[in-house]
């Protein structure tokens, strides 16, 4: 609005002199007009200057934003209705085949799980600067495989490990706290059974490939005791909602299902007593309510749960009681999926699904009764904004999207 | 025109698929039906704008999307050579094929290079110890050995490899296990398709020392019973313990099931994917590929010891 008016003025003034030159009038009259004109001109110049200044300001801000794409949350609140795709901002490098991404509760830290190299979890700030990295204790790269991860409101980081068949729990800085070894077994619970209560100065670890649990108290000699029986589960996808409820996908051999852990379990101070109620849904297969390598389970604001049913190439939708509702995304046409993997839902109930083989992110509006395909973004390639077997995505409240671009060894940051 | 070719190809693949192709259990490899949706897992789902099918710009990267270290689409983690089973003691057991990045928890010391960079195979027509180009200038990928669409061979191995038709049957029918070998006498055919000069079946060939020196590379006979043809066992001082069932010093080697005296194949000594065996001293410098473990199952020349027990 404001920048329109002066432009109009400018036009008027510019045309004025030509109109007035028509009758050859007296000199003083001309002078008078000249003076008037000059006054107008000065005003105009001032306005123009102001405009230029404003433009410079906007440009400067935009430039700064491009240089250092910090969020502009206060300035650019996310419009309620967006149905255009986001755009590419920048990439974070120095990562070996990333497969999982998560944000800290305050959104100021990004956690990335690598499937290549050291197979570490790396911590970055919002600008993509490396803060640190962490690993499950007592494992070598061929014995660990962090895949998906999430944080709870207390900032703790829960990382699923495909090779260890466990969920490792760390504090926000990556200090190892405990492992969930099965649906009703934590490492600290198992250790406590052997040594009584666990004092603050003890460390313990367990590696599925070694048959021992390691236990060390202060400066004392390290103790070993036999490993617990392997549990028949294989946690893969993990999502923790605001209340602390945890949704897991379990890809145990030929027993795929979705599991739920209540908030008091994930929000516990420690896990020395770990007996959550069994809450599983689904079996292995292609029918309704069955899954083939489900990779993510995420809830929307209505309480429905969307499961990326990987090898079935579809999204299965469950109601809040984990009853099967319907599935979508199979077949052909807009919004059809190839190999859905990581997924996330933003505050507008838009579901983002990473299609690893489709090499893009497919977006659906799931606020209504039926999911509606909105748009897809990205394509196969090595350039900025192109994907090479992407695997996971996370969004924040400022409209940013972080995407694990596996074979390009980077995290891509997109924004609205 | 392009579209037409594609459609014909799809039709052909489908037709093949429908004629009783063995399928991997639970996997997307074969066993397709006419109304199948299983192509989408590896090919881009059709879009309204046309059939933009193959995304396998990098076949191996596609396979690792399910079979890689994160094993997000299969229980077969071929990067680490681990069967991602969870029940009881076989959690984390080693896969039959070995691993491309790690095996038994250690980094591999040799593996078939499936990155698409390798084009020359040892003993591919030029003699043992000589590497020659694969047919058609092809490079080695997962799809050089496996047919992702399923095949009638064991472990969906291709029926035509390096322009050679091969048949590799699965022998121990029944439950498909990936941590105990189930191949038969045809198993050497897959290796011989690219390394034919190592495919030696005549008795006594291995002692042709002059021939060995001239051409390089081991010329151990294969295809014979593990304890030799009747009557030769005493001559080579062979142990009497079956290398597959009893083994030696805690090590065993797989043999092809034949019913009576199981036979020696390439995979008795070699792993097809990769190994973490350590080569020190003599073994590190001997052979055409200096300094690596040439896909051998055991450290140094441990494989020899299991049968010959010197």
């Amino acid at each position: 609005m404001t920048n329109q008016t002066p432009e109009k003025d400018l036009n008027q003034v510019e045309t004025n002199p030509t109109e007035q030159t028509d009758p050859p009038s007296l000199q003083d009259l001309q002078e008078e007009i000249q003076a008037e004109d000059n006054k107008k001109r000065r005003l105009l110049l001032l306005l123009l200057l102001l405009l230029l200044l404003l433009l410079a300001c906007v440009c400067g801000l935009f430039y700064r934003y491009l240089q250092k794409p910090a969020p502009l949350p206060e300035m650019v609140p996310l419009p309620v209705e967006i149905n255009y795709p986001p755009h590419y901002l920048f990439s974070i490098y120095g990562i070996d085949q990333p497969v999982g991404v998560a944000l800290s509760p305050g959104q100021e830290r990004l956690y990335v799980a690598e499937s290549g190299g050291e197979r570490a979890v790396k911590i970055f700030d919002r600008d993509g600067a490396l803060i640190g990295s962490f690993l499950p204790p007592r494992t070598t790269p061929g014995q660990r495989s962090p895949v998906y991860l999430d944080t709870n409101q207390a900032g703790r980081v829960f990382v699923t490990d495909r090779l260890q068949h466990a969920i490792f729990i760390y504090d926000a800085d990556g200090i190892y706290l405990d492992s969930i070894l099965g649906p009703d077994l934590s490492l600290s619970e198992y250790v406590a059974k052997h040594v009584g209560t666990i004092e603050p100065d003890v460390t313990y670890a367990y590696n599925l490939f070694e048959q021992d649990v390691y236990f060390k108290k202060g400066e004392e000699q390290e103790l070993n005791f036999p490993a617990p029986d392997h549990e028949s589960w294989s946690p893969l996808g993990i999502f923790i909602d605001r209340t602390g409820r945890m949704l897991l996908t379990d890809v145990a051999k030929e027993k795929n299902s979705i599991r739920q852990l209540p908030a008091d379990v994930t929000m516990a101070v420690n896990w020395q007593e770990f007996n959550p109620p069994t809450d599983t849904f689904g079996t292995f297969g292609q029918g309704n309510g069955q899954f083939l390598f489900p990779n993510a389970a995420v809830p929307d604001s209505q309480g429905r749960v969307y499961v990326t049913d990987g090898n079935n190439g579809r999204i299965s939708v469950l109601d809040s009681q984990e009853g099967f509702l319907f599935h979508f995304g199979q077949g052909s046409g807009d919004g059809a999926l190839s190999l859905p993997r990581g997924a996330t839902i933003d505050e507008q109930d838009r579901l983002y699904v990473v299609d690893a083989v489709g090499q893009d992110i497919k977006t659906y509006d799931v606020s209504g009764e039926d999911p509606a395909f909105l748009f897809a973004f990205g394509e196969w390639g090595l350039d900025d904004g192109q994907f090479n077997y992407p695997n996971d995505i996370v969004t924040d409240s400022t409209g940013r999207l972080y995407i694990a671009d596996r074979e390009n060894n980077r995290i891509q940051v997109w924004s609205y | 025109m392009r579209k037409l070719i594609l459609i014909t190809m799809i039709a052909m693949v489908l037709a093949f698929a429908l004629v009783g192709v063995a399928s991997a259990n639970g996997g997307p490899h074969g066993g397709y039906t006419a109304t199948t949706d299983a192509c989408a897992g590896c090919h881009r789902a059709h879009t309204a704008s046309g059939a933009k099918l193959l995304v396998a710009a990098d076949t191996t990267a596609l396979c690792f999307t399910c079979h890689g270290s994160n094993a997000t689409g299969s229980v077969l983690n071929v990067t680490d050579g681990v069967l991602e089973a969870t029940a009881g003691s076989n959690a984390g057991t080693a896969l039959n094929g070995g691993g491309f990045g790690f095996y038994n928890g250690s980094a591999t010391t040799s593996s078939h290079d499936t990155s698409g960079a390798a084009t020359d195979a040892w003993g591919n027509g030029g003699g043992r110890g000589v590497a020659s180009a694969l047919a058609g200038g092809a490079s080695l990928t997962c799809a050089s050995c496996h047919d992702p669409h399923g095949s009638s061979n064991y472990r969906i191995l291709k029926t035509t490899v390096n322009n050679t038709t091969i048949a590799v049957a699965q022998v121990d029918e029944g439950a498909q296990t990936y941590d105990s070998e189930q191949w038969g006498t045809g198993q050497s055919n897959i290796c011989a398709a690219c390394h034919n000069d190592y495919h030696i079946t005549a008795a006594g060939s291995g002692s042709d020392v002059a021939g060995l020196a001239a051409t390089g590379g081991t010329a151990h006979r294969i295809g014979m019973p593990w304890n030799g043809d009747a009557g030769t066992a005493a001559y080579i001082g062979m142990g009497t313990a079956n290398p597959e069932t009893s083994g030696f010093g805690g090590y065993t080697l797989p043999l092809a099931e034949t019913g009576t005296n199981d036979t020696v194949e390439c995979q008795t000594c070699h792993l097809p994917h990769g190994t973490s065996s350590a080569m020190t001293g003599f073994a590190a410098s001997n052979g055409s590929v200096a300094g690596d473990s040439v896909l051998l199952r055991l450290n140094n020349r441990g494989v020899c010891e299991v049968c010959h027990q010197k």
Side-chain angles (χ1 to χ4, degrees):
Chain A
M1 264 310 276
T2 37
N3 29 356
Q4 292 276 359
T5 8
E7 272 172 40
K8 264 182 201 153
D9 277 357
L10 184 78
N11 286 337
Q12 268 174 3
V13 181
E14 296 244 88
T15 47
N16 265 348
T18 37
E19 273 165 28
Q20 256 145 41
T21 42
D22 234 323
S25 39
L26 296 161
Q27 209 183 325
D28 49 312
L29 189 71
Q30 269 188 333
E31 267 169 17
E32 207 176 294
I33 292 168
Q34 191 87 58
E36 184 118 320
D37 243 25
N38 276 349
K39 215 168 126 196
K40 265 192 176 170
R41 220 162 252 171
R42 233 173 287 139
L43 205 90
L44 225 132
L45 223 82
L46 211 90
L47 261 167
L48 217 97
L49 230 93
L50 258 163
L51 239 155
L52 267 167
L53 212 86
L54 205 88
L55 200 85
C57 268
V58 170
C59 276
L61 265 170
F62 189 66
Y63 180 73
R64 225 202 71 186
Y65 177 70
L66 280 182
Q67 288 296 300
K68 189 178 161 224
L72 304 168
E74 300 81 29
M75 293 177 64
V76 198
L78 213 55
V80 184
E81 284 287 322
I82 297 185
N83 52 6
Y84 54 84
H87 60 270
Y88 170 83
L89 272 190
F90 69 105
S91 285
I92 305 172
Y93 288 92
I95 306 163
D96 220 319
Q97 300 191 308
V99 283
V101 283
L103 285 166
S104 58
Q107 307 186 345
E108 73 286 350
R109 282 177 167 210
L110 178 73
Y111 297 94
V112 179
E114 295 179 312
S115 68
E118 273 300 299
R119 301 191 191 170
V121 176
K122 289 192 168 149
I123 317 174
F124 296 92
D125 69 13
R126 278 185 65 92
D127 303 330
L130 182 70
I131 297 176
S133 74
F134 53 93
L135 306 163
R138 297 282 191 139
T139 56
T140 59
Q143 298 174 327
R144 60 175 173 252
S145 180
V147 188
Y148 294 110
L149 64 179
D150 206 356
T151 58
N152 68 9
Q153 284 304 103
R156 276 148 179 206
V157 191
F158 293 70
V159 187
T160 61
D161 196 294
R162 187 74 170 97
L163 276 164
Q164 291 289 334
H165 299 278
I167 302 170
F168 290 93
I169 311 172
Y170 306 86
D171 75 4
D173 296 324
I175 306 291
Y176 171 74
L177 300 174
D178 208 341
S179 311
I180 303 176
L181 302 177
D184 54 8
L185 182 70
S186 74
L187 181 57
S188 61
E189 181 185 49
Y190 183 79
V191 170
K193 261 190 217 139
H194 279 77
V195 301
T197 45
I198 296 179
E199 316 277 329
D201 65 336
V202 303
T203 54
Y204 45 84
Y206 163 62
N207 173 349
L208 180 131
F209 293 88
E210 315 294 338
Q211 290 307 304
D212 287 323
V213 170
Y214 313 99
F215 173 80
K216 193 165 163 36
K217 184 171 186 309
E219 295 302 301
E220 289 171 26
Q221 181 85 30
E222 183 175 277
L223 291 177
N224 287 359
F225 35 86
D229 282 342
H230 300 307
E231 298 275 345
S232 191
W233 84 329
S234 199
L236 186 68
I238 186 165
F239 178 87
I240 303 170
D241 73 11
R242 288 247 166 91
T243 68
R245 174 180 63 142
M246 184 192 288
L247 286 169
L248 282 175
T249 67
D250 182 346
V251 294
K253 192 163 183 267
E254 283 156 35
K255 271 191 249 150
N256 296 356
S257 63
I258 311 303
R259 288 178 182 273
Q260 220 183 112
L261 293 185
D264 55 327
V265 173
T266 52
M267 291 302 288
V269 189
N270 65 53
W271 296 269
Q272 286 173 37
E273 262 177 52
F274 188 76
N275 298 300
T278 317
D279 184 349
T280 70
F281 172 83
T283 52
F284 185 75
Q286 301 179 13
N288 289 345
Q290 296 191 312
F291 306 106
L292 290 181
F293 294 91
N295 269 242
V298 289
D300 68 6
S301 62
Q302 310 174 47
R304 291 179 174 184
V305 173
Y306 298 79
V307 181
T308 59
D309 188 2
N311 291 8
N312 277 325
R314 65 188 182 192
I315 310 293
S316 287
V317 188
L318 315 180
D319 66 22
S320 52
Q321 267 68 54
E322 290 185 320
F324 173 80
L325 290 175
F326 58 88
H327 60 71
F328 67 94
Q330 259 175 333
S332 57
D334 282 347
L337 292 155
S338 282
L339 189 60
R341 286 282 167 90
T344 189
I345 294 184
D346 71 10
E347 284 167 357
Q348 280 81 51
D349 267 344
R350 280 175 305 199
L351 169 69
Y352 300 86
V353 179
V354 180
D355 190 339
V357 163
Q359 312 279 358
D360 60 7
I361 315 298
K362 299 203 165 75
T363 312
Y364 308 85
D365 178 359
V366 293
S367 59
E369 195 58 33
D370 299 314
F373 175 69
L374 292 175
F375 49 77
F377 58 93
E379 59 183 346
W380 183 84
L382 313 179
D383 291 340
D384 286 353
Q386 296 184 321
F387 299 114
N388 198 359
Y389 295 97
N391 204 67
D392 197 16
I393 185 167
V394 67
T395 58
D396 73 9
S397 57
T398 68
R400 268 199 184 190
L401 303 110
Y402 299 87
I403 300 147
D405 187 7
R406 192 187 92 216
E407 290 293 313
N408 282 331
N409 297 312
R410 65 185 175 194
I411 300 299
Q412 289 195 25
V413 186
W414 288 57
S415 179
Y416 279 102
Chain B
M1 189 56 206
R2 252 224 176 115
K3 225 168 170 176
L4 204 78
I5 295 176
L6 254 160
I7 290 168
T8 332
M9 275 163 95
I10 293 173
M12 275 164 64
V13 169
L14 270 178
F16 268 112
L18 289 172
V19 188
V21 158
S23 91
N25 45 347
H29 310 294
Y32 309 126
T33 61
T35 56
T36 196
D37 206 38
C39 317
C42 299
H43 298 278
R44 214 171 291 190
H46 305 232
T47 57
S49 57
K52 208 179 179 185
L53 270 171
L54 233 174
V55 80
D58 179 347
T59 297
T60 298
L62 168 68
C63 307
F64 282 142
T65 302
C66 289
H67 294 291
S69 66
N70 43 298
T72 34
S74 172
V75 297
L76 306 171
N77 168 352
V78 301
T79 299
D80 302 312
V82 166
L83 173 61
E84 303 274 9
T86 45
S89 59
N90 77 347
T93 47
L95 282 176
N96 294 334
F100 286 98
F102 294 86
Y103 184 57
N104 286 330
S106 304
T108 51
T109 46
S110 68
S111 63
H112 264 125
D113 174 6
T114 55
S115 70
T119 53
D120 300 348
W122 301 102
N124 183 24
R128 293 192 300 278
V130 177
S132 318
L134 297 175
S139 61
L140 193 63
T141 70
C142 310
S144 306
C145 293
H146 297 285
D147 186 340
H149 308 108
S151 91
S152 50
N153 279 341
Y154 175 61
R155 295 295 183 244
I156 61 171
L157 289 167
K158 280 168 85 169
T159 49
T160 304
V161 175
N162 198 27
N163 264 353
T164 313
T165 306
I166 59 157
V168 181
Q170 172 155 338
V171 172
D172 299 340
E173 295 293 346
Q176 275 199 328
T177 60
Y178 295 98
D179 52 358
S180 68
E181 144 283 322
Q182 294 177 303
W183 35 261
T185 49
Q187 190 65 12
S188 293
N189 295 338
I190 177 83
C191 315
C194 293
H195 304 290
N196 193 43
D197 300 330
Y198 292 80
H199 195 225
I200 291 153
T201 51
S205 340
S207 34
D208 177 6
V209 179
L212 255 176
T215 52
T218 296
H220 201 284
R221 182 188 175 195
I222 61 149
M224 72 294 187
W226 64 269
N227 49 358
D229 301 324
T232 58
Y235 159 67
I236 40 168
M238 189 69 67
T240 51
N242 182 313
E244 186 170 38
T245 51
S246 312
F248 177 67
Y251 296 103
T252 58
L253 294 175
L255 300 168
E257 305 292 330
T258 55
T260 46
N261 287 323
D262 295 348
T263 59
V264 182
E265 306 294 334
C266 311
Q267 275 183 229
T268 299
C269 297
H270 294 287
L271 284 162
H273 290 167
T275 181
S276 57
S277 303
M279 299 293 135
T280 51
F282 167 79
S285 55
N286 196 252
S288 316
V289 195
D292 84 20
S293 54
V294 285
L295 308 178
L296 287 171
R297 287 179 181 269
L298 303 177
N299 289 352
N300 292 316
R301 293 293 178 261
V303 287
C304 316
E305 244 349 68
V306 175
C307 285
H308 291 292
Q309 299 171 20
K310 282 285 175 195

